[in-house]
Amino acid sequence: MTSEWQFWSLNYAKPRKPSKLNVTGKRKEDKDSIKPHDSRALNYLVHEYLLQQRNKLTAITFSEENEGQDFDDWDDVGLNIAKPPGLLYLFRECSNYSMSDQEQLNRILDLEHKLTQQTNQLLALKRENDALNKRLRHMEKFTRSTANSNEQPKTSPSTMKRSASQLTPPSHRREHSLDMSTLQRFIGDIAVEPTSQSASNTPKQRRKTDLPVSFNLGGAPLKDVAKDDSSTASCDHSDVTKESFGELTPTRKGSLKREESEDTISGADDQSGPGDNVTLSEETVHDLDKDNSIITDTIAPVGVTDMPSGTVKASPGVTWEPTTRQMSLTFRQQLLSVFQVKTDSRVSLEISKLNDTDESITTVLGRCLPYIVPNVILAKREELIPLLLWAAADHKGDPKERDKLLHLMFNLIKRPDSNQRKMIVCGCVAFAKYVGSVRLEAELLPQCWEQITHKFHERRRLVAECCGALAPYIPAELLSSLVLSMLQQILNDDKADGVRQAVAKSLAVLVAFIDDKAKFQNCWEMLLKALNDSSQLVVSTVQAILLPAVAAWAYEIDYLEDKLLMYFAQQLYTCIKQVSRQDGVSGATEQSQRYLVTITHLVPWHCASIWLTAPFTSEVEPVDTFKVTFPKPQSPLLNLPVIVGSDQMLAGLVKKFEEHISEADSAVWKSLQWFTEDFFGLLLKCISTVGFSQPELIHTFCVLITTYCTYLGHTFTHKTVVTLFKEALAVPPEQSASLVAQGKTQLTKSTLPVYVGGVLACFVQDESKLIKYLRGIIIDMALYFASLDSLKATFNELKADRKYHSLLVSVLRDLITHSSSQVRRYVAIMLALMITGVDERVVTEKVVAALEILSNDQEISVSVETVAGFGCIMENVTSKNTLEHCHKQFVSFHKSHKFSDQYELQMALLKTVAKTGPQADPVFREEFIIPYLTSMAGEIENATNTTKKEDICLGLIEAYKNISHCYMSSELVTKYMLPGLRQLLKDTQLVVPQQESKVRGLLQECEMKCNEGKSREKLNLSSESDTKSGFLSKLRTQDKTFSNPFKRKS
C-alpha cells in the first residue's frame, strides 16, 4: 500500500462507530456538512460505479447535473492523492473499520510493515538464487579448465588451500567451520588432482594482515595461521553471529547478502581427508571477480581488532576509503545504520532495485511515470511526452503496460492547445516510425478511437489530426476502411468548427494514400459536405487543402473535367439563376460565391491537365532559360511547379504549349476542346445571368477569367478567349439599336465588365487595346441610348485597381469634346462615378476641370448631369480650393439667368443640396444652402403645373428634414428657417396635404430651437455680468483689507 492510500483510507474511509439511538429510536444525523472536495470525490466514485455497472444513461444524467466537474480526470477533484479504490470496494471494506482511529492506524502500519518485509525477503531470495546460479556456472567452468590442464594433471590439497586463502580478503582470513555438504552445495562434485605447493604462498611471505581462512573438511575446528605459525587462537563458528555481521543491502547485480558471503568459495575432491585445506590462486580470483561472478562478504567478526590500513570493502559492491582507525567494522556499520532508509514505500523500493540490472531504464520509466504524471503541473506536462513515448515504444514487457503509457500520454493534458497537440501528434508519428505498422495498429490506434467521443473538442481534434499524421504508416486497407469511416463520422456528427477543420486536413492526407479507386466516391461526398459547411474556417481549409488533394486523385483517374469542374459549374449556374429571380432564396448568393471560388482554386490543376494531356507532352524537356510567372497561388498545393514536378518542367510545358498554339492550324486535343466548347460556354452562360446588384460575383468572375488567361498565356487568350467573348458580345447590325436600347444584348449585361476586367485588363501590353475598346463602347452605348449599368459596373471593376484611375479619367476627358451631346452627357455621368474610390489628386486635377467644362455646355441636359458630380465632390473631397470651385458653381447654377428657368437643373440642384447639406462646409451651408431653400420655397407658387409644385415641395421637405439636425444659430433660424418652413406649410396644405404633419413637426422643432437659443443667450449674458460684478467687488474688498507691504510698521 502506498502513502496516498493511507491518506485516503484514514480520511475518507474512517471507521464507523456503533450508531447511537436517540429517544425516538432514530440515528443522530451527522452535524458536519459535506465539504466541497468530499462531494467531488464521492461524485467521481458514484459516476465511475454507474459506468462499471453499464448504467450509462444514469451516468450521463448525473454528469449533466454536475457540470462543474470533469468526471474523466481524478485530478479535477482537487485532492493531491492517488485515485482511491472503487465504490464497491469501499462498501465491502467499510465493515472492517469498526475499531478506533488509533487502532486502525496501528493495524494499517503493521500490515504495511509485514508486506514490506515479505517483499524484501522475496527480492533477496530471488537475487540470492541468481547469484548462486552464476557462481555455480563459473565454478564449473573453472573446474573444467583446471581438470583439462596438461601442466598439472592433479591439484594437490595444499595448492587448493593456498588458493582458497588468497580468495578470501585479508580482513576475513579467520577460521570457519564448514561441513562437506555445505561445500558441495557451492562447487558440486569436482574431481581435482593434487599439485605441488607453491613457494610464494608460504606463511613467511605473507603480510601481517594476510590471514588465510582454512576449512576443516571433516568438520573439526582448525586454528588460524599466525605470522610465526606458532600462535593460534581458537575461534568457533558459532561465535560469529548475525549481529556481528550486520544486515546488508545489495547494491548491484550479483551481490550477496550476509548468508551468501558466509560461505567462502573453496573446493576439495572427495578423497581429501581431514585437515586438507583447499585454496584458490589470486589469478583465478581476479578472473572470477572481473566477471562479477564471485563477490564475497568482507565483514569481519566482532573479535577482530587488527584493522587493515588499506582499502576496506564495506559491503558487496561498495568500497570504503582507507583508514588507520582501530575500530570494529561492525560498530562502524552500526553507526551508518542511522541513515539507513527503510524500504517501506514505493519510492524506496524502486531505489533499492538499483543493483538489479536485469530491469532496463524503460521498465523503470514505465513503472514510475504513472505516479509522476499526476504530480506535474498542467502547464509543464508536455515535458513528459518524450519520456512517455520512449517508455511505451521501447518497453519489451507486458503489452498492458505499453497501453497504460499511451493512454497516459493521450490523457496527459486535459484540454491541449494547438502547440501541445502538435507535440503529441509529432510523438505519435515518431512512435509509428519506430514500432512499425503492426504495433501501430494494435497499440496506438485504439487510444485514438477512445478519444473520438470525448466531451472536450480539443481531444476530438487531436484524434482527427493524428489520423492524418499517421496515414503514411497505416496499412492501405485500414486507411480505406476504418480510418476513412471514422473521419466521416466525425465530419457528420461533430459540432466544433476546429474538429471539422482538422478532419478536412486529415482527409486530404488520406486521399493521397488510399489505393482503392472505389473509395473516391466516399471522399468526393465528404468533400461536398465539408465545402457546404456553415463555418467559413472549414470551407477555406477545404478549398486550400482538401480540394487540391481530391483534384490530384481525380486527375489520375480522369475525373477532373467531367466529375469536378463540370459539377461545380452546373451548381454555380443553378444558384445564380435563383439569385437573379429574386425569389428570396436564402443563401443563394453566398453559395454562388463559394462555388465560384472553388472553380478558381481548381484552375491550376485544370491548366496542368491541359498541358500534360497534350500531344506534345512526350517531347517536353526541362528548360532553365525560359521564365514564366504566374499569380500567387491560394495554397502551396495549388502551386504549378509543385503540381508538375519542378520549375524547369513547368517552363518546358508552357514553352511547348505557346509554340503549339501560335501555329496557324494548331491541333486541338480532347481536354482543350472540352474547355473551349463545353466548360467555357457554361461559364459565359453563368456570367450573363449575374445581375448588377451582385458586384462581388462580378468581381469573382473577373478573377476567374483572369486566372485562366494568365495561366494559359497571352497567345491563347487573344486567339481563343477574346474570340469567345466577342462572339457573345456581338450585336446584329439590323437590330442593334432596338436590342441594345431594350437591354437584350450582352452589352447591357455582366458579360461586358467581366470581359473588360477579366480579359482586356489581364496583360499590361494590352493597355492600348483597353483604352480603344472603352472609348468605342462608351460611344456605342450612348448612341444606342443603352442603360449605363453595365458601363458603370465596368468602371467600378477597373477603378478597384489604383493603376487604372488615370487611364479611366483620360478616356472620359478625351470624349468631353465629342460632337454628340448624348456622348457628352454619358461622360458627365461617368465622371461623377470617378470621384468615389479614386485618388483625390486625380479628382482635383482632372475630374473637377472636366466637370466645369461640361457644366457650361450648350446642352442643358449635359449641365444637369454635372450637378450630381459637384455634389459628390463636396461629400468626398477635402481640398479647400476644390470645394470653393464647387461652391461657386452651385451659386452659378442658382443665380445665372441661363439656369434660373431650367426646371430639370433646379430640381437636380435641390436634390443634390438635400443630400449633401449635412456634410457640407458649415459656412457654405449657412451662406448658401439655407437661404437657397428659403428662396425655393417662395418659388413654388411660380411653378407652371401641379406636378412641378409637388416635386419642389417634396424636395424641400427632404432637404429641411436633413438640415434640421445640423447646428444653427437662433438668428439664422429666425431669419431663414422659420420663414421658409411657414411658406412651405402653406404650399403643402394646397399641393400635398398628406405631408402637412411632417412640415408642422419641422416648424415646431425649429421654433423650440429658436426659443432655447434665445434663453441660452440671455443666461450667458447674465452670468457674464454677475461674474464681472463679483470679481470687481472682491478686488475692492482686497484693497481695503490688504495694507501696503512696503509701509514701515510703527
Side-chain angles (χ1 to χ4, degrees):
M1 295 183 182
T2 61
S3 58
E4 291 84 353
W5 169 233
Q6 294 177 12
F7 179 84
W8 174 265
S9 62
L10 293 177
N11 290 276
Y12 293 91
K14 290 185 177 181
R16 302 286 184 178
K17 295 181 180 180
S19 61
K20 296 180 180 180
L21 300 177
N22 55 16
V23 293
T24 60
K26 297 182 181 180
R27 293 181 183 270
K28 291 184 177 181
E29 295 182 357
D30 191 0
K31 296 181 180 180
D32 297 334
S33 59
I34 189 170
K35 298 180 180 179
H37 57 270
D38 294 336
S39 176
R40 296 174 73 86
L42 290 174
N43 289 345
Y44 182 88
L45 294 174
V46 171
H47 184 267
E48 183 183 41
Y49 171 77
L50 292 174
L51 292 179
Q52 291 174 352
Q53 300 302 317
R54 298 184 178 179
N55 297 324
K56 295 184 178 180
L57 295 178
T58 308
I60 293 173
T61 305
F62 185 76
S63 62
E64 291 177 352
E65 292 177 351
N66 298 272
E67 296 179 351
Q69 184 172 352
D70 181 11
F71 291 99
D72 294 331
D73 189 4
W74 167 252
D75 294 339
D76 187 67
V77 174
L79 298 174
N80 192 19
I81 60 174
K83 178 183 174 183
L87 189 64
L88 181 60
Y89 177 83
L90 295 177
F91 172 75
R92 290 176 177 174
E93 294 295 325
C94 66
S95 60
N96 297 332
Y97 299 105
S98 60
M99 59 187 71
S100 64
D101 292 349
Q102 186 61 37
E103 291 175 352
Q104 179 188 3
L105 178 61
N106 294 338
R107 180 179 177 184
I108 291 174
L109 295 177
D110 183 53
L111 290 175
E112 290 189 349
H113 182 67
K114 291 180 180 180
L115 178 61
T116 303
Q117 288 182 345
Q118 293 176 0
T119 304
N120 293 340
Q121 292 175 5
L122 180 62
L123 294 174
L125 290 174
K126 182 179 181 298
R127 287 192 289 270
E128 179 182 1
N129 182 43
D130 296 340
L132 290 176
N133 289 333
K134 293 182 179 179
R135 289 174 61 187
L136 180 59
R137 288 194 297 270
H138 281 278
M139 288 299 297
E140 290 176 352
K141 179 180 179 181
F142 166 72
T143 303
R144 286 192 298 270
S145 63
T146 305
N148 296 331
S149 177
N150 296 327
E151 296 178 358
Q152 297 177 350
K154 193 169 186 181
T155 304
S156 63
S158 60
T159 304
M160 295 292 291
K161 177 180 179 181
R162 286 193 301 272
S163 301
S165 64
Q166 294 173 4
L167 178 63
T168 306
S171 60
H172 279 262
R173 292 180 181 172
R174 307 287 297 172
E175 278 193 357
H176 296 279
S177 297
L178 186 65
D179 57 359
M180 182 59 69
S181 61
T182 305
L183 183 62
Q184 289 180 351
R185 184 185 63 178
F186 289 97
I187 63 175
D189 298 332
I190 304 175
V192 182
E193 297 292 336
T195 59
S196 61
Q197 184 174 354
S198 174
S200 62
N201 292 329
T202 59
K204 291 183 179 181
Q205 296 174 349
R206 294 174 183 164
R207 293 173 299 164
K208 180 179 178 180
T209 58
D210 194 11
L211 303 178
V213 179
S214 61
F215 297 95
N216 188 344
L217 298 180
L222 298 176
K223 304 297 183 180
D224 284 344
V225 181
K227 181 178 181 182
D228 54 356
D229 294 337
S230 59
S231 61
T232 61
S234 175
C235 180
D236 193 4
H237 181 68
S238 61
D239 295 336
V240 185
T241 61
K242 182 178 181 180
E243 289 76 6
S244 64
F245 283 85
E247 291 293 333
L248 296 179
T249 303
T251 59
R252 64 184 177 90
K253 180 180 176 182
S255 60
L256 306 178
K257 299 193 71 169
R258 177 65 246 171
E259 295 78 10
E260 301 170 17
S261 58
E262 286 180 356
D263 301 331
T264 305
I265 301 174
S266 61
D269 55 9
D270 296 337
Q271 298 177 358
S272 299
D276 292 336
N277 296 327
V278 182
T279 62
L280 299 178
S281 64
E282 289 186 4
E283 292 80 7
T284 304
V285 176
H286 176 72
D287 294 339
L288 296 175
D289 206 31
K290 183 172 66 176
D291 295 336
N292 295 330
S293 59
I294 301 178
I295 300 176
T296 59
D297 197 354
T298 61
I299 302 176
V302 177
V304 176
T305 58
D306 295 333
M307 296 298 295
S309 60
T311 301
V312 180
K313 290 186 177 180
S315 59
V318 180
T319 302
W320 288 349
E321 292 298 325
T323 180
T324 58
R325 293 288 302 277
Q326 301 297 321
M327 181 185 291
S328 171
L329 187 60
T330 308
F331 181 77
R332 185 173 293 172
Q333 283 197 340
Q334 188 64 34
L335 286 176
L336 291 175
S337 66
V338 175
F339 299 99
Q340 184 178 0
V341 180
K342 294 183 179 181
T343 57
D344 57 352
S345 66
R346 182 189 59 81
V347 178
S348 58
L349 282 175
E350 292 292 346
I351 296 173
S352 66
K353 295 176 183 178
L354 185 61
N355 287 346
D356 192 0
T357 55
D358 285 340
E359 290 186 344
S360 62
I361 183 63
T362 306
T363 305
V364 178
L365 282 175
R367 191 166 56 242
C368 295
L369 281 175
Y371 297 95
I372 298 174
V373 170
N375 298 305
V376 179
I377 60 175
L378 293 175
K380 295 296 182 181
R381 285 193 177 180
E382 63 267 17
E383 301 291 340
L384 297 172
I385 294 176
L387 293 177
L388 290 169
L389 279 171
W390 184 265
D394 206 43
H395 199 290
K396 305 300 182 184
D398 189 3
K400 293 183 179 179
E401 294 295 329
R402 298 196 294 267
D403 293 341
K404 186 187 299 182
L405 292 171
L406 292 175
H407 179 77
L408 191 62
M409 184 194 68
F410 273 93
N411 296 273
L412 187 64
I413 304 171
K414 188 175 180 180
R415 306 183 74 166
D417 57 22
S418 178
N419 292 330
Q420 291 168 339
R421 288 197 305 271
K422 288 180 180 178
M423 285 187 287
I424 296 175
V425 171
C426 182
C428 292
V429 172
F431 181 86
K433 292 180 180 178
Y434 184 78
V435 303
S437 60
V438 177
R439 283 185 58 185
L440 171 63
E441 180 182 353
E443 298 176 10
L444 189 58
L445 292 184
Q447 299 296 333
C448 294
W449 309 157
E450 290 181 3
Q451 306 287 330
I452 192 174
T453 56
H454 201 278
K455 68 177 182 179
F456 293 135
H457 68 88
E458 292 88 352
R459 296 280 192 90
R460 303 194 302 272
R461 187 169 184 176
L462 177 61
V463 175
E465 292 172 351
C466 285
C467 290
L470 295 174
Y473 312 101
I474 302 176
E477 59 275 6
L478 194 64
L479 278 178
S480 59
S481 57
L482 180 61
V483 181
L484 184 62
S485 301
M486 187 194 67
L487 290 178
Q488 187 173 9
Q489 177 184 350
I490 298 176
L491 184 63
N492 293 333
D493 301 339
D494 209 293
K495 297 180 180 179
D497 297 345
V499 179
R500 299 196 302 274
Q501 181 192 21
V503 170
K505 294 180 180 179
S506 296
L507 181 60
V509 181
L510 254 68
V511 167
F513 289 92
I514 294 178
D515 296 331
D516 189 1
K517 181 180 177 181
K519 296 298 180 180
F520 179 84
Q521 184 63 27
N522 299 78
C523 298
W524 170 248
E525 293 174 357
M526 294 177 67
L527 169 67
L528 295 180
K529 182 173 181 60
L531 192 61
N532 293 320
D533 196 274
S534 58
S535 172
Q536 186 59 36
L537 179 66
V538 179
V539 175
S540 301
T541 304
V542 171
Q543 292 173 342
I545 300 176
L546 180 56
L547 182 64
V550 176
W553 195 6
Y555 168 73
E556 294 177 12
I557 58 178
D558 199 18
Y559 281 180
L560 181 62
E561 288 85 1
D562 297 335
K563 186 75 175 180
L564 268 68
L565 288 167
M566 186 56 72
Y567 172 82
F568 288 126
Q570 291 174 349
Q571 293 297 318
L572 173 63
Y573 180 64
T574 302
C575 292
I576 290 176
K577 286 196 300 183
Q578 293 176 352
V579 175
S580 61
R581 287 200 304 266
Q582 299 180 356
D583 53 0
V585 179
S586 177
T589 302
E590 180 182 355
Q591 195 71 12
S592 302
Q593 184 75 6
R594 187 171 298 180
Y595 283 130
L596 198 52
V597 173
T598 302
I599 296 175
T600 307
H601 279 74
L602 287 173
V603 170
W605 272 102
H606 189 196
C607 294
S609 174
I610 293 175
W611 295 331
L612 294 173
T613 56
F616 53 78
T617 305
S618 58
E619 305 173 1
V620 174
E621 296 180 357
V623 178
D624 294 329
T625 57
F626 188 77
K627 301 297 181 181
V628 290
T629 57
F630 295 110
K632 183 179 179 180
Q634 301 291 334
S635 167
L637 298 174
L638 299 173
N639 195 6
L640 271 175
V642 176
I643 296 173
V644 175
S646 65
D647 292 321
Q648 293 77 14
M649 190 65 186
L650 176 62
L653 283 172
V654 174
K655 181 180 180 181
K656 205 70 177 177
F657 179 75
E658 287 283 345
E659 294 175 354
H660 184 82
I661 294 297
S662 300
E663 297 177 359
D665 51 351
S666 58
V668 178
W669 55 97
K670 180 181 177 181
S671 58
L672 185 60
Q673 184 178 5
W674 179 86
F675 169 70
T676 55
E677 295 180 1
D678 299 337
F679 183 70
F680 207 85
L682 184 57
L683 286 182
L684 289 174
K685 194 175 181 181
C686 295
I687 293 170
S688 62
T689 311
V690 178
F692 297 109
S693 61
Q694 307 294 329
E696 66 279 359
L697 288 180
I698 296 175
H699 174 71
T700 310
F701 267 114
C702 291
V703 173
L704 173 63
I705 300 301
T706 300
T707 306
Y708 267 116
C709 293
T710 306
Y711 279 118
L712 294 176
H714 185 268
T715 304
F716 179 82
T717 299
H718 281 271
K719 188 175 181 180
T720 304
V721 178
V722 172
T723 303
L724 293 173
F725 268 102
K726 285 184 176 180
E727 291 176 356
L729 292 170
V731 180
E734 63 277 3
Q735 299 178 348
S736 58
S738 59
L739 292 177
V740 173
Q742 296 174 7
K744 295 181 179 181
T745 64
Q746 299 295 325
L747 284 175
T748 55
K749 296 183 179 180
S750 298
T751 309
L752 178 64
V754 173
Y755 172 60
V756 175
V759 180
L760 297 182
C762 181
F763 299 98
V764 178
Q765 57 266 36
D766 293 339
E767 183 174 317
S768 59
K769 296 180 180 179
L770 174 62
I771 295 174
K772 182 179 179 180
Y773 185 81
L774 287 175
R775 288 175 182 171
I777 201 65
I778 292 173
I779 295 173
D780 291 343
M781 297 188 73
L783 296 178
Y784 290 148
F785 293 90
S787 173
L788 284 174
D789 291 338
S790 61
L791 194 59
K792 289 181 179 180
T794 302
F795 271 65
N796 285 329
E797 181 62 32
L798 289 177
K799 77 176 184 179
D801 193 344
R802 187 185 183 92
K803 67 181 181 181
Y804 291 115
H805 291 176
S806 297
L807 183 146
L808 294 174
V809 174
S810 299
V811 170
L812 295 175
R813 283 172 61 91
D814 293 341
L815 295 176
I816 61 176
T817 58
H818 196 273
S819 58
S820 173
S821 60
Q822 185 66 14
V823 173
R824 298 196 301 273
R825 176 173 170 267
Y826 271 40
V827 169
I829 296 173
M830 299 309 298
L831 282 172
L833 187 68
M834 292 302 299
I835 296 173
T836 58
V838 179
D839 188 7
E840 186 171 335
R841 182 183 59 83
V842 177
V843 175
T844 56
E845 293 179 359
K846 298 181 179 181
V847 176
V848 174
L851 286 174
E852 287 180 349
I853 294 173
L854 292 174
S855 65
N856 297 318
D857 196 272
Q858 297 298 325
E859 291 290 335
I860 297 298
S861 61
V862 177
S863 301
V864 169
E865 298 297 341
T866 61
V867 176
F870 285 112
C872 190
I873 292 174
M874 293 176 59
E875 289 180 315
N876 297 277
V877 177
T878 59
S879 175
K880 292 183 178 181
N881 294 331
T882 305
L883 292 177
E884 289 178 359
H885 282 287
C886 293
H887 297 165
K888 293 179 180 180
Q889 193 63 44
F890 271 94
V891 173
S892 175
F893 284 146
H894 175 56
K895 296 183 177 181
S896 176
H897 296 287
K898 177 182 177 182
F899 305 116
S900 59
D901 297 335
Q902 299 297 327
Y903 168 76
E904 291 82 3
L905 190 144
Q906 295 302 323
M907 286 303 304
L909 183 60
L910 181 60
K911 292 179 180 179
T912 303
V913 167
K915 181 181 178 183
T916 61
Q919 292 83 23
D921 182 67
V923 177
F924 179 72
R925 183 169 56 242
E926 294 177 359
E927 293 182 356
F928 173 75
I929 294 180
I930 296 177
Y932 167 74
L933 295 178
T934 304
S935 64
M936 285 296 295
E939 296 292 333
I940 297 177
E941 298 177 352
N942 299 329
T944 57
N945 54 44
T946 307
T947 304
K948 293 182 180 181
K949 291 181 179 181
E950 291 180 359
D951 293 341
I952 297 175
C953 285
L954 294 176
L956 286 173
I957 293 173
E958 184 67 21
Y960 275 117
K961 180 180 177 182
N962 294 337
I963 294 177
S964 64
H965 300 292
C966 302
Y967 171 77
M968 290 176 288
S969 63
S970 59
E971 181 182 359
L972 186 66
V973 173
T974 304
K975 186 175 181 180
Y976 292 106
M977 289 290 290
L978 291 178
L981 285 172
R982 292 190 181 104
Q983 182 62 39
L984 180 62
L985 179 62
K986 295 179 182 180
D987 295 333
T988 303
Q989 291 174 347
L990 299 175
V991 180
V992 280
Q994 62 271 20
Q995 301 293 333
E996 180 183 354
S997 59
K998 292 183 179 181
V999 179
R1000 286 186 180 278
L1002 293 172
L1003 182 60
Q1004 293 175 1
E1005 184 178 352
C1006 288
E1007 291 176 349
M1008 291 177 60
K1009 285 184 178 181
C1010 183
N1011 296 331
E1012 290 176 358
K1014 291 180 180 180
S1015 61
R1016 192 182 301 110
E1017 290 176 358
K1018 292 181 180 179
L1019 182 62
N1020 292 336
L1021 291 174
S1022 62
S1023 62
E1024 289 178 1
S1025 60
D1026 293 342
T1027 303
K1028 183 177 181 182
S1029 60
F1031 180 72
L1032 293 175
S1033 63
K1034 287 182 180 180
L1035 288 178
R1036 297 190 192 99
T1037 305
Q1038 290 175 357
D1039 291 339
K1040 294 179 180 179
T1041 56
F1042 290 163
S1043 60
N1044 189 357
F1046 302 102
K1047 183 178 181 181
R1048 181 176 297 177
K1049 294 182 180 180
S1050 57

